[in-house]
Amino acid sequence: MAAQVCCVDHQRAGTQTIGGRWFCDEHYQKATHMRRGAFRSGVLAVVGLLVFVALVIGLDQVLKPDLAITPLLLVGIVLAIVPAVLWLIFFYQQDRLEPEPVGHVARMFVLGLALAGAIGIPITDQLFRVQDWLFRDNLTAILGSVFLIGGVEAFIIYATVRYFIFDLPEFDERTDGVIYATAAALGYATALNLQFILNSGGGALGGAEVLMVEVALAHAAFGGLLGYFLGRARLEQEPIWWLPLGLALTAVLNGAFNLLRGQLEPGSISIGGQASALPGVGGLIAAGALAVVVAVIVYALINRDIGRSLSGKQPAATADAAKGDRQANTATVGTFVVLLIVAAFAWNSAVNSTTTFEVSGFKGAYPSYFGDATAEGDVLRATDTLGTGAEFIIATRANDSGLDAKGIASQLGGERSTDYAMYKVTDTANTTVAGKPALMQSFAYIDPQSLTGAEPEVKQGVDYIVVDAGRAVMITLLTTPDDLPNVEPLFARFLNSLSF
Amino acid sequence: MKCQIRFFAIVMLTVVALTASAFTALAAASNLHRASVNLAAPANSDPDAPNAACTKMSATADVYWALLNEDDEIALPEDAPQGLESYPSGTNLIVPVFEYDCVPKKAAIVSVFTLDGETVYTDKESLKASESEGFYAYPLGTTDGSPMDEGEWGVEYYNNKTLLTSGSIPVGGDEPLDTVTVIGTVTDAKTKKPIKGAVILVLVEGVTVQDFIDGDQQEEDIFTGAKTNNKGQFELESPLTREVEYSVIVVAKGYKPIGQDGLVIPTDAEDPVELPITMVKSK
């Protein structure tokens, strides 16, 4: 008999069926109700936001406000929240005849923001450090954008709706899925925007607002799409792949948009002029278009679904609604795990793949995104040219006078003191490299002639000195203090791979 | 009668041809003249002494190319003590110099200048007899100070119809002086904030961004580079040559890298040329 309970409030007896689920009279009304206001408000919000952006750019250009960091941050934070607030205002204004409980939509927004800040952004930025490797090659960019950035965000939006509102009786219309998921997505977007403002420490307000509205519009579109899938899953008995499909589609759309934006605004190099004072709006226009297109498509789909519900041809309600929902949820979580596993593979191949070398009796492997900068006098010099600039160097020198590693170290010290300023050894220890006893020393100095030739740069590094068979082998890591913590594990792997 | 007509025709054609070539030569040379120069007097010169010892003049070194200083004396720039390798575009005076052992009686030097192999100017100048070594220069300039035609200029110095020495030098064109210092600022495309620590790499001519990435980022593929300071500013370590296609890579932490082929600094760009770069966040 469980199957005959209304699938919305799980209490009243079902009298009608839609898509294989029982509904009581009241919720049958709701489930077949088209909520045009939600879409009107969505489109209005898009237009309103574009006007708002133009206004901010205009004010920024005319007034050229010269704000100190703190007021700039405060204004930035306010501007970060504006897109979501604007959408909420439009939504409530359009929805006042059939109000959704105010608390629920606002709660979705706050939860989306909190989960993005607590889980979503830490996963992409701190755990996978996606910003460091996303654009290393095209395949990595696609996999990272879709499976990691898109996947994590889609799942956070899904989880916000699925675990905090899905089972409540207030989720009783098809359009509710779109509304709640959009609110959660705007929360996610707001978290991204706050992160952007805090990281960039303010900046040109016009340009910053372009970016933030672009982020908000794009994410609202992702949320809307996923919300459609959630809305149908709530009110109809859907196959088990339905929600996983929604999750995957949202991830793909998110990733595709990320890549498209990179194509539209690749950055620029211009000759003999000034960079344009106006911010690029290619991404913003694309995001606005995406939001409108998704709204129109979802509107059409819901309209069609309602029409079908009212046509009366319904499959018999057989399955237990709650049980079906649980299975669908398990499948969706599983899909997310699969997305994450693929993302981890992309991350691993971008970060951990190595180039092997065999030169002058030395064998080993260095990270494959390093370049070969071997110069005269080096056995090998691998450099992270397009990243940190860190160098892994193998060099040898004749040791006819039979110096020990300490003697070689002081030879090196003498040379470096001549070439650089403030050379200092900060730590020494005895260790082994490739099974041979070695002297490890950490050092730091100031390089007055860095790549620019303009500004001195503090360099920090580690030497491993091995004395064997009439020669000295020096394996050196050279980097900056900022990059040392990130580069040291790579260098340790490089050392482990060495044999000579 | 027939014979006379043919003779007349031949004479007239010859006259016309000669006149035409004279005019052409005049037209070509009309803008050129000998600039004034103070040639230092030979050290032991004694105009009254008989110069029996010197019977033949010969050059003791190859022609080298110089400049004139404010006092119209022959001068060589500090970075080219052996003589210039080329004159830049816009030069209005070239000074070929050669050294000789001695000057016999009634000596005259004929200077023949060529541009891209065509004779454009000749002149003859008498020299006082001298037993000592000295040097001779025929500074050739334009009458109105306008730039000399660009191309390969040559000179031949003759004495008594004997070639003493010769030399040539490029003026303008592809000479290495046509380079431009490149400065610029790297900023965030959206916020316009400067990006510090951005690395700008300019690849060797003919190497594309894709070549560089595919070729394991060889150091020898990098022509020059720079890193931005706290204000996002940079200056390329080496100047770039105008009208050459360069490939440029710009990378910065947290930003989408930029790779652009076919960057050309036009001939009319100012020196130093500004290269504003904007970057977009990678996520």
Side-chain angles (χ1 to χ4, degrees):
Chain A
M1 287 304 285
Q4 289 218 20
V5 170
C6 171
C7 73
V8 174
D9 58 19
H10 305 293
Q11 284 169 0
R12 281 179 268 190
T15 54
Q16 315 245 27
T17 63
I18 303 173
R21 292 198 169 180
W22 285 104
F23 286 83
C24 64
D25 290 336
E26 183 200 340
H27 287 126
Y28 181 77
Q29 285 292 321
K30 289 252 186 186
T32 53
H33 174 65
M34 185 64 193
R35 200 169 176 142
R36 293 192 170 77
F39 293 94
R40 250 196 327 268
S41 66
V43 174
L44 271 176
V46 172
V47 175
L49 277 176
L50 295 181
V51 171
F52 177 73
V53 170
L55 206 71
V56 175
I57 295 177
L59 282 176
D60 192 36
Q61 293 285 319
V62 174
L63 300 178
K64 297 199 186 311
D66 188 17
L67 299 175
I69 283 289
T70 311
L72 199 60
L73 277 181
L74 291 174
V75 173
I77 289 170
V78 171
L79 288 179
I81 303 172
V82 162
V85 169
L86 208 65
W87 178 79
L88 284 174
I89 290 173
F90 275 111
F91 173 73
Y92 281 120
Q93 191 250 332
Q94 289 291 323
D95 200 47
R96 61 186 184 280
L97 294 179
E98 39 196 336
E100 205 60 32
V102 178
H104 285 327
V105 180
R107 200 170 72 178
M108 284 295 103
F109 170 75
V110 172
L111 278 170
L113 193 154
L115 288 177
I119 299 172
I121 295 175
I123 287 181
T124 56
D125 293 17
Q126 267 97 55
L127 185 64
F128 284 98
R129 303 188 62 83
V130 64
Q131 65 278 11
D132 291 349
W133 51 265
L134 187 61
F135 285 98
R136 247 172 223 161
D137 60 70
N138 293 337
L139 182 67
T140 306
I142 293 171
L143 293 179
S145 294
V146 171
F147 289 88
L148 184 58
I149 299 177
V152 167
E153 180 179 335
F155 185 73
I156 295 282
I157 297 171
Y158 168 82
T160 310
V161 176
R162 179 65 186 81
Y163 298 127
F164 294 95
I165 199 105
F166 193 81
D167 286 329
L168 299 185
E170 280 81 4
F171 195 145
D172 52 7
E173 292 184 33
R174 293 164 181 280
T175 321
D176 283 349
V178 177
I179 294 166
Y180 291 134
T182 303
L186 281 171
Y188 201 103
T190 305
L192 288 174
N193 286 340
L194 288 174
Q195 179 205 26
F196 160 70
I197 282 290
L198 295 175
N199 279 354
S200 66
L205 293 175
E209 188 59 15
V210 170
L211 181 74
M212 292 193 291
V213 171
E214 174 188 322
V215 168
L217 287 176
H219 288 73
F222 309 148
L225 179 72
L226 187 54
Y228 169 72
F229 281 86
L230 279 160
R232 248 181 79 168
R234 170 77 172 109
L235 300 177
E236 295 184 33
Q237 187 67 38
E238 296 294 348
I240 196 149
W241 47 261
W242 177 252
L243 277 176
L245 174 72
L247 187 82
L249 267 183
T250 307
V252 169
L253 186 69
N254 191 333
F257 182 77
N258 225 10
L259 295 171
L260 172 76
R261 195 181 63 167
Q263 295 296 314
L264 284 174
E265 294 180 18
S268 75
I269 304 175
S270 44
I271 292 176
Q274 292 295 309
S276 160
L278 287 171
V281 291
L284 175 65
I285 291 167
L290 180 74
V292 172
V293 166
V294 168
V296 168
I297 291 175
V298 169
Y299 179 86
L301 286 174
I302 292 183
N303 231 356
R304 189 200 62 172
D305 292 346
I306 290 175
R308 219 172 40 191
S309 307
L310 294 174
S311 71
K313 278 177 268 168
Q314 295 299 326
T318 49
D320 177 348
K323 191 177 160 201
D325 286 345
R326 276 197 303 276
Q327 284 170 347
N329 180 46
T330 310
T332 311
V333 173
T335 306
F336 173 58
V337 171
V338 170
L339 292 182
L340 268 192
I341 289 171
V342 175
F345 272 112
W347 168 71
N348 184 56
S349 78
V351 173
N352 293 337
S353 68
T354 56
T355 302
T356 55
F357 63 89
E358 186 168 356
V359 56
S360 315
F362 289 84
K363 267 200 262 186
Y366 56 83
S368 50
Y369 59 91
F370 275 42
D372 182 354
T374 307
E376 222 178 299
D378 301 329
V379 172
L380 177 91
R381 184 181 294 254
T383 308
D384 186 9
T385 317
L386 300 180
T388 57
E391 296 179 75
F392 297 175
I393 309 153
I394 303 176
T396 58
R397 60 174 61 181
N399 184 22
D400 300 330
S401 45
L403 289 172
D404 61 358
K406 272 199 177 125
I408 298 292
S410 54
Q411 241 183 28
L412 271 179
E415 291 158 15
R416 284 176 182 153
S417 305
T418 324
D419 293 344
Y420 310 114
M422 314 282 289
Y423 176 72
K424 197 178 171 196
V425 173
T426 53
D427 188 24
T428 57
N430 289 314
T431 175
T432 55
V433 173
K436 301 179 169 69
L439 176 72
M440 185 280 290
Q441 60 169 8
S442 303
F443 62 87
Y445 61 77
I446 298 172
D447 184 355
Q449 289 289 319
S450 58
L451 186 61
T452 36
E455 293 189 354
E457 195 171 24
V458 178
K459 290 281 191 182
Q460 208 170 334
V462 189
D463 288 317
Y464 287 82
I465 302 168
V466 178
V467 175
D468 88 328
R471 66 169 185 177
V473 177
M474 292 148 301
I475 303 141
T476 304
L477 161 68
L478 199 56
T479 182
T480 59
D482 286 350
D483 292 319
L484 189 66
N486 295 330
V487 176
E488 262 188 324
L490 296 174
F491 186 66
R493 226 175 302 163
F494 171 71
L495 273 180
N496 282 334
S497 77
L498 269 184
S499 66
F500 58 92
Chain B
M1 189 61 189
K2 224 179 187 179
C3 194
Q4 278 180 346
I5 290 173
R6 191 184 292 168
F7 178 71
F8 180 72
I10 290 172
V11 168
M12 285 310 292
L13 277 175
T14 314
V15 169
V16 168
L18 281 174
T19 316
S21 47
F23 266 99
T24 317
L26 271 175
S30 62
N31 193 28
L32 298 170
H33 78 141
R34 183 193 200 283
S36 59
V37 59
N38 294 330
L39 291 174
N44 335 320
S45 94
D46 182 357
D48 300 327
N51 289 306
C54 189
T55 55
K56 184 173 175 284
M57 185 181 189
S58 53
T60 54
D62 292 336
V63 168
Y64 60 86
W65 301 80
L67 303 169
L68 293 184
N69 67 14
E70 290 163 1
D71 299 324
D72 289 336
E73 288 164 348
I74 288 166
L76 286 169
E78 272 178 23
D79 58 348
Q82 304 295 317
L84 299 171
E85 299 281 319
S86 68
Y87 288 100
S89 292
T91 292
N92 56 19
L93 181 70
I94 57 176
V95 188
V97 188
F98 77 96
E99 288 168 13
Y100 54 79
D101 51 355
C102 62
V103 185
K105 276 181 186 172
K106 289 182 186 170
I109 305 276
V110 172
S111 307
V112 178
F113 283 90
T114 57
L115 174 58
D116 294 330
E118 303 258 338
T119 302
V120 290
Y121 186 85
T122 61
D123 197 8
K124 183 176 177 180
E125 190 176 11
S126 304
L127 284 192
K128 279 183 182 171
S130 166
E131 267 187 85
S132 37
E133 300 172 344
F135 58 85
Y136 179 81
Y138 193 103
L140 183 73
T142 51
T143 51
D144 54 1
S146 62
M148 300 189 69
D149 290 339
E150 295 189 2
E152 188 77 9
W153 281 84
V155 71
E156 289 165 350
Y157 285 126
Y158 291 91
N159 174 235
N160 273 339
K161 294 178 185 169
T162 309
L163 181 65
L164 290 171
T165 183
S166 65
S168 68
I169 191 164
V171 174
D174 289 330
E175 86 278 19
L177 288 170
D178 198 21
T179 57
V180 188
T181 306
V182 179
I183 57 171
T185 313
V186 181
T187 48
D188 183 301
K190 286 282 162 63
T191 65
K192 307 294 169 199
K193 279 176 77 84
I195 300 172
K196 78 165 187 175
V199 173
I200 299 100
L201 298 176
V202 179
L203 305 182
V204 171
E205 198 185 333
V207 179
T208 65
V209 173
Q210 203 57 48
D211 291 343
F212 180 70
I213 305 287
D214 293 346
D216 202 16
Q217 305 167 25
Q218 301 281 336
E219 183 92 336
E220 63 233 37
D221 286 342
I222 301 173
F223 173 65
T224 186
K227 200 172 191 178
T228 57
N229 63 14
N230 281 338
K231 292 175 180 166
Q233 298 159 332
F234 69 90
E235 175 178 339
L236 287 184
E237 219 173 332
S238 308
L240 301 186
T241 308
R242 294 174 196 269
E243 297 298 333
V244 165
E245 286 200 2
Y246 290 104
S247 294
V248 179
I249 297 176
V250 189
V251 286
K253 244 185 227 170
Y255 285 87
K256 190 172 179 281
I258 303 177
Q260 195 167 314
D261 295 323
L263 202 76
V264 176
I265 296 168
T267 320
D268 57 357
E270 283 175 34
D271 187 9
V273 67
E274 280 268 353
L275 196 70
I277 297 171
T278 60
M279 300 187 82
V280 180
K281 284 233 156 66
S282 62
K283 188 179 110 11

